[in-house]
mmCIF file with all atom_site columns, all heavy atoms in Angstrom:
data_model
loop_
_atom_site.group_PDB
_atom_site.id
_atom_site.type_symbol
_atom_site.label_atom_id
_atom_site.label_alt_id
_atom_site.label_comp_id
_atom_site.label_asym_id
_atom_site.label_entity_id
_atom_site.label_seq_id
_atom_site.pdbx_PDB_ins_code
_atom_site.Cartn_x
_atom_site.Cartn_y
_atom_site.Cartn_z
_atom_site.occupancy
_atom_site.B_iso_or_equiv
_atom_site.pdbx_formal_charge
_atom_site.auth_seq_id
_atom_site.auth_comp_id
_atom_site.auth_asym_id
_atom_site.auth_atom_id
_atom_site.pdbx_PDB_model_num
ATOM 1  N N   . ASP Z 1 106 ? 77.406 112.544 -73.769 1.00 54.00 ? 122 ASP Z N   1
ATOM 2  C CA  . ASP Z 1 106 ? 76.427 113.531 -73.507 1.00 54.00 ? 122 ASP Z CA  1
ATOM 3  C C   . ASP Z 1 106 ? 76.306 113.630 -71.999 1.00 54.00 ? 122 ASP Z C   1
ATOM 4  O O   . ASP Z 1 106 ? 75.704 112.765 -71.369 1.00 54.00 ? 122 ASP Z O   1
ATOM 5  C CB  . ASP Z 1 106 ? 75.063 113.234 -74.115 1.00 54.00 ? 122 ASP Z CB  1
ATOM 6  C CG  . ASP Z 1 106 ? 74.148 114.477 -73.907 1.00 54.00 ? 122 ASP Z CG  1
ATOM 7  O OD1 . ASP Z 1 106 ? 74.517 115.414 -73.332 1.00 54.00 ? 122 ASP Z OD1 1
ATOM 8  O OD2 . ASP Z 1 106 ? 72.925 114.251 -74.288 1.00 54.00 ? 122 ASP Z OD2 1
ATOM 9  N N   . VAL Z 1 107 ? 77.066 114.621 -71.302 1.00 53.00 ? 123 VAL Z N   1
ATOM 10 C CA  . VAL Z 1 107 ? 76.902 114.638 -69.979 1.00 53.00 ? 123 VAL Z CA  1
ATOM 11 C C   . VAL Z 1 107 ? 75.540 114.973 -69.336 1.00 53.00 ? 123 VAL Z C   1
ATOM 12 O O   . VAL Z 1 107 ? 75.253 114.812 -68.142 1.00 53.00 ? 123 VAL Z O   1
ATOM 13 C CB  . VAL Z 1 107 ? 78.004 115.687 -69.392 1.00 53.00 ? 123 VAL Z CB  1
ATOM 14 C CG1 . VAL Z 1 107 ? 79.321 115.177 -69.603 1.00 53.00 ? 123 VAL Z CG1 1
ATOM 15 C CG2 . VAL Z 1 107 ? 77.687 117.138 -70.033 1.00 53.00 ? 123 VAL Z CG2 1
ATOM 16 N N   . THR Z 1 108 ? 74.671 115.566 -70.228 1.00 55.00 ? 124 THR Z N   1
ATOM 17 C CA  . THR Z 1 108 ? 73.282 115.969 -69.744 1.00 55.00 ? 124 THR Z CA  1
ATOM 18 C C   . THR Z 1 108 ? 72.341 114.758 -69.918 1.00 55.00 ? 124 THR Z C   1
ATOM 19 O O   . THR Z 1 108 ? 71.103 114.877 -69.714 1.00 55.00 ? 124 THR Z O   1
ATOM 20 C CB  . THR Z 1 108 ? 72.682 117.061 -70.480 1.00 55.00 ? 124 THR Z CB  1
ATOM 21 O OG1 . THR Z 1 108 ? 72.793 116.813 -71.897 1.00 55.00 ? 124 THR Z OG1 1
ATOM 22 C CG2 . THR Z 1 108 ? 73.746 118.314 -70.326 1.00 55.00 ? 124 THR Z CG2 1
ATOM 23 N N   . ALA Z 1 109 ? 72.846 113.650 -70.594 1.00 55.00 ? 125 ALA Z N   1
ATOM 24 C CA  . ALA Z 1 109 ? 71.846 112.503 -70.822 1.00 55.00 ? 125 ALA Z CA  1
ATOM 25 C C   . ALA Z 1 109 ? 71.072 111.934 -69.613 1.00 55.00 ? 125 ALA Z C   1
ATOM 26 O O   . ALA Z 1 109 ? 69.980 111.638 -69.674 1.00 55.00 ? 125 ALA Z O   1
ATOM 27 C CB  . ALA Z 1 109 ? 72.628 111.417 -71.571 1.00 55.00 ? 125 ALA Z CB  1
ATOM 28 N N   . GLY Z 1 110 ? 71.758 111.984 -68.425 1.00 56.00 ? 126 GLY Z N   1
ATOM 29 C CA  . GLY Z 1 110 ? 71.057 111.345 -67.310 1.00 56.00 ? 126 GLY Z CA  1
ATOM 30 C C   . GLY Z 1 110 ? 70.400 112.508 -66.454 1.00 56.00 ? 126 GLY Z C   1
ATOM 31 O O   . GLY Z 1 110 ? 69.900 112.248 -65.391 1.00 56.00 ? 126 GLY Z O   1
ATOM 32 N N   . VAL Z 1 111 ? 70.327 113.705 -66.858 1.00 55.00 ? 127 VAL Z N   1
ATOM 33 C CA  . VAL Z 1 111 ? 69.657 114.728 -66.175 1.00 55.00 ? 127 VAL Z CA  1
ATOM 34 C C   . VAL Z 1 111 ? 68.232 114.775 -66.461 1.00 55.00 ? 127 VAL Z C   1
ATOM 35 O O   . VAL Z 1 111 ? 67.647 114.567 -67.550 1.00 55.00 ? 127 VAL Z O   1
ATOM 36 C CB  . VAL Z 1 111 ? 70.297 116.139 -66.629 1.00 55.00 ? 127 VAL Z CB  1
ATOM 37 C CG1 . VAL Z 1 111 ? 69.460 117.271 -65.950 1.00 55.00 ? 127 VAL Z CG1 1
ATOM 38 C CG2 . VAL Z 1 111 ? 71.699 116.278 -66.291 1.00 55.00 ? 127 VAL Z CG2 1
ATOM 39 N N   . TYR Z 1 112 ? 67.503 114.754 -65.225 1.00 51.00 ? 128 TYR Z N   1
ATOM 40 C CA  . TYR Z 1 112 ? 65.925 114.755 -65.348 1.00 51.00 ? 128 TYR Z CA  1
ATOM 41 C C   . TYR Z 1 112 ? 65.392 115.987 -65.989 1.00 51.00 ? 128 TYR Z C   1
ATOM 42 O O   . TYR Z 1 112 ? 65.893 117.124 -65.398 1.00 51.00 ? 128 TYR Z O   1
ATOM 43 C CB  . TYR Z 1 112 ? 65.376 114.457 -63.952 1.00 51.00 ? 128 TYR Z CB  1
ATOM 44 C CG  . TYR Z 1 112 ? 63.837 114.557 -64.006 1.00 51.00 ? 128 TYR Z CG  1
ATOM 45 C CD1 . TYR Z 1 112 ? 63.167 113.608 -64.537 1.00 51.00 ? 128 TYR Z CD1 1
ATOM 46 C CD2 . TYR Z 1 112 ? 63.302 115.692 -63.425 1.00 51.00 ? 128 TYR Z CD2 1
ATOM 47 C CE1 . TYR Z 1 112 ? 61.696 113.809 -64.559 1.00 51.00 ? 128 TYR Z CE1 1
ATOM 48 C CE2 . TYR Z 1 112 ? 61.922 115.774 -63.371 1.00 51.00 ? 128 TYR Z CE2 1
ATOM 49 C CZ  . TYR Z 1 112 ? 61.134 114.899 -63.987 1.00 51.00 ? 128 TYR Z CZ  1
ATOM 50 O OH  . TYR Z 1 112 ? 59.769 115.018 -63.977 1.00 51.00 ? 128 TYR Z OH  1
ATOM 51 N N   . ARG Z 1 113 ? 64.652 115.926 -66.887 1.00 52.00 ? 129 ARG Z N   1
ATOM 52 C CA  . ARG Z 1 113 ? 63.983 117.205 -67.478 1.00 52.00 ? 129 ARG Z CA  1
ATOM 53 C C   . ARG Z 1 113 ? 62.561 116.914 -67.544 1.00 52.00 ? 129 ARG Z C   1
ATOM 54 O O   . ARG Z 1 113 ? 62.133 116.056 -68.331 1.00 52.00 ? 129 ARG Z O   1
ATOM 55 C CB  . ARG Z 1 113 ? 64.525 117.492 -68.792 1.00 52.00 ? 129 ARG Z CB  1
ATOM 56 C CG  . ARG Z 1 113 ? 65.965 117.947 -68.747 1.00 52.00 ? 129 ARG Z CG  1
ATOM 57 C CD  . ARG Z 1 113 ? 66.417 118.526 -70.139 1.00 52.00 ? 129 ARG Z CD  1
ATOM 58 N NE  . ARG Z 1 113 ? 67.807 118.908 -70.068 1.00 52.00 ? 129 ARG Z NE  1
ATOM 59 C CZ  . ARG Z 1 113 ? 68.720 118.542 -70.894 1.00 52.00 ? 129 ARG Z CZ  1
ATOM 60 N NH1 . ARG Z 1 113 ? 68.484 117.802 -71.960 1.00 52.00 ? 129 ARG Z NH1 1
ATOM 61 N NH2 . ARG Z 1 113 ? 69.940 118.960 -70.796 1.00 52.00 ? 129 ARG Z NH2 1
ATOM 62 N N   . PRO Z 1 114 ? 61.752 117.564 -66.845 1.00 51.00 ? 130 PRO Z N   1
ATOM 63 C CA  . PRO Z 1 114 ? 60.319 117.395 -66.973 1.00 51.00 ? 130 PRO Z CA  1
ATOM 64 C C   . PRO Z 1 114 ? 59.896 117.768 -68.325 1.00 51.00 ? 130 PRO Z C   1
ATOM 65 O O   . PRO Z 1 114 ? 60.287 118.604 -69.129 1.00 51.00 ? 130 PRO Z O   1
ATOM 66 C CB  . PRO Z 1 114 ? 59.763 118.309 -65.940 1.00 51.00 ? 130 PRO Z CB  1
ATOM 67 C CG  . PRO Z 1 114 ? 60.793 119.355 -65.625 1.00 51.00 ? 130 PRO Z CG  1
ATOM 68 C CD  . PRO Z 1 114 ? 62.068 118.679 -65.977 1.00 51.00 ? 130 PRO Z CD  1
ATOM 69 N N   . ALA Z 1 115 ? 58.862 117.021 -68.695 1.00 51.00 ? 131 ALA Z N   1
ATOM 70 C CA  . ALA Z 1 115 ? 58.109 117.209 -70.082 1.00 51.00 ? 131 ALA Z CA  1
ATOM 71 C C   . ALA Z 1 115 ? 57.556 118.630 -70.060 1.00 51.00 ? 131 ALA Z C   1
ATOM 72 O O   . ALA Z 1 115 ? 57.038 119.041 -69.037 1.00 51.00 ? 131 ALA Z O   1
ATOM 73 C CB  . ALA Z 1 115 ? 57.110 116.153 -70.248 1.00 51.00 ? 131 ALA Z CB  1
#
Side-chain angles (χ1 to χ4, degrees):
D122 183 5
V123 295
T124 62
V127 176
Y128 171 74
R129 291 191 181 127

